[in-house]
Amino acid sequence: MSWMNVSYIHDLQSFLGLNDLRQTLIAANIANMDTPGYKTLGFNFQQALAEAEAGPAGAQIEPRVAPVAGLLARPDGNNVSMDQQGLLMARTQLEYHLGIALLTKEFHGIQSAINGGGAF
């Protein structure tokens, strides 16, 4: 049995990659807040993460990005809500920082094992 949990690192990599994509979509949505007819874009994060975890390590994650259904559109056809995007951005940033912290902890454990358990 390996002392290094490679699947855990792969899962964290997938998680961070999906968070990065979600952040990119949020930025695009906010940038197009005043574009007539623009539809808020998003993807099912949980489904994409489950697919990434089920797939082979290192596989490219390509979730289905589509307009978000059920949002109220303004008279110009745009349905971007700054409140909704702001909350999603805050959540995404917190989740990203959590993923980085978990990955850092995993690498510190690996470094500790390489150094024989001593301080680094």
Side-chain angles (χ1 to χ4, degrees):
M1 177 175 218
S2 174
W3 53 271
M4 191 167 98
N5 190 346
V6 176
S7 68
Y8 180 66
I9 293 172
H10 164 68
D11 291 346
L12 284 172
Q13 178 185 9
S14 298
F15 178 78
L16 292 171
L18 289 170
N19 263 285
D20 183 52
L21 175 59
R22 186 165 57 181
Q23 184 70 26
T24 299
L25 291 175
I26 292 167
N29 291 335
I30 292 172
N32 285 288
M33 191 170 147
D34 294 323
T35 303
Y38 181 83
K39 303 297 181 205
T40 301
L41 297 176
F43 65 96
N44 186 324
F45 187 86
Q46 296 301 327
Q47 179 183 2
L49 187 58
E51 290 173 5
E53 289 174 352
Q60 184 67 22
I61 307 166
E62 294 185 27
R64 184 177 161 268
V65 175
V68 177
L71 299 177
L72 184 63
R74 297 189 308 257
D76 67 358
N78 186 306
N79 69 356
V80 176
S81 165
M82 187 59 192
D83 291 338
Q84 187 247 2
Q85 293 299 301
L87 286 172
L88 188 56
M89 181 185 295
R91 177 181 177 170
T92 301
Q93 289 173 345
L94 286 172
E95 289 176 353
Y96 191 84
H97 287 294
L98 172 65
I100 293 294
L102 291 172
L103 193 59
T104 300
K105 182 180 179 203
E106 185 70 16
F107 285 132
H108 280 292
I110 293 168
Q111 184 178 14
S112 179
I114 290 170
N115 293 333
F120 40 95

